[in-house]
Amino acid sequence: VRGTGLLNLITPNGMITNNGGLTFFDDRVIDKNTFPEELVKKVLDVANKHQVVMQFASLKDRFFTMEANEYVRQYFSVYCEAWPSVLKDNVSSVTEILAFVPEEYDQILTNELPQELRYYRYETYGVNISYFTNKKGDAVIKLLNYLNIDSKKAIAFGDSQDDISMFESVGCSVAMCNIKDDLVKEKATIRS
């Protein structure tokens, strides 16, 4: 969201980021769920073995595991975010991992990455790797409980498989028009 210009149009008082790994409201952290460091080390080993550029996100920072490649440039041409620095061995407080790889890496990575991870391809140039306990739907419920809002009165917007848990946690869900996955469209209550 940062860098896209959206935050120039609206000022949200809360956000669920890092695939449900980090939830803010009024600049307070409501929930934070980090990957165990040993798990991040295993991910880093697989990334280094296959020369896969990854971006690790933490509570306050994001960084690359190695120098950018063409898939990173594709991602940043779409999302217009600030370019993170390279910190090759930092494995602490990670809440989300992005891998910048073409689809031919999917089978290799899903076979070699630890089973505690969820692997979602969101575009031809990238994959979201989440810790199994991080789900957007769980984060939505925690935030709604914090705000004392009935989940049946909430609405969620999404465009990929990792949004399905969010769709299932609210009264109304909207499938964005850019969805490529029919399963995501089927789970939404409103489809474009």
Side-chain angles (χ1 to χ4, degrees):
V1 174
R2 290 183 179 94
T4 64
L6 181 60
L7 295 180
N8 295 331
L9 299 173
I10 61 170
T11 306
N13 52 0
M15 274 198 233
I16 295 171
T17 65
N18 298 0
N19 231 9
L22 193 53
T23 305
F24 295 94
F25 189 78
D26 284 341
D27 295 324
R28 279 189 60 192
V29 175
I30 303 304
D31 189 49
K32 174 179 81 165
N33 193 12
T34 59
F35 289 69
E37 287 185 19
E38 285 304 313
L39 191 63
V40 178
K41 287 177 186 175
K42 290 177 184 176
V43 171
L44 189 56
D45 288 344
V46 171
N48 290 337
K49 175 182 174 184
H50 296 288
Q51 293 298 296
V52 172
V53 179
M54 293 196 174
Q55 175 182 277
F56 289 179
S58 66
L59 179 62
K60 298 185 186 227
D61 201 11
R62 295 175 304 128
F63 56 90
F64 291 136
T65 58
M66 61 182 60
E67 293 299 323
N69 61 17
E70 66 183 275
Y71 306 104
V72 171
R73 287 186 273 287
Q74 288 177 34
Y75 173 89
F76 281 85
S77 73
V78 172
Y79 291 98
C80 306
E81 296 176 351
W83 198 274
S85 58
V86 176
L87 295 171
K88 297 179 183 192
D89 297 320
N90 190 348
V91 296
S92 63
S93 301
V94 173
T95 56
E96 182 183 45
I97 300 171
L98 298 180
F100 301 101
V101 293
E103 294 175 52
E104 54 261 25
Y105 279 76
D106 288 354
Q107 194 62 52
I108 294 166
L109 294 177
T110 55
N111 286 342
E112 293 187 27
L113 288 170
Q115 295 301 307
E116 301 94 331
L117 301 175
R118 289 192 325 273
Y119 188 93
Y120 293 115
R121 176 159 292 283
Y122 58 85
E123 190 52 76
T124 57
Y125 48 76
V127 173
N128 190 301
I129 299 171
S130 299
Y131 189 42
F132 78 100
T133 60
N134 292 358
K135 293 181 183 165
K136 290 181 184 179
D138 293 344
V140 166
I141 293 299
K142 288 175 185 174
L143 182 59
L144 292 172
N145 287 341
Y146 175 81
L147 298 171
N148 199 26
I149 296 174
D150 182 349
S151 64
K152 293 181 186 102
K153 295 181 180 181
I155 185 169
F157 296 82
D159 63 0
S160 63
Q161 278 192 15
D162 57 340
D163 294 325
I164 292 173
S165 69
M166 188 172 60
F167 287 179
E168 294 170 342
S169 66
V170 296
C172 180
S173 55
V174 179
M176 308 284 281
C177 64
N178 62 323
I179 292 178
K180 297 176 184 169
D181 189 326
D182 289 336
L183 177 62
V184 181
K185 288 180 186 176
E186 290 171 18
K187 296 290 184 177
T189 53
I190 299 174
R191 302 165 191 91
S192 56

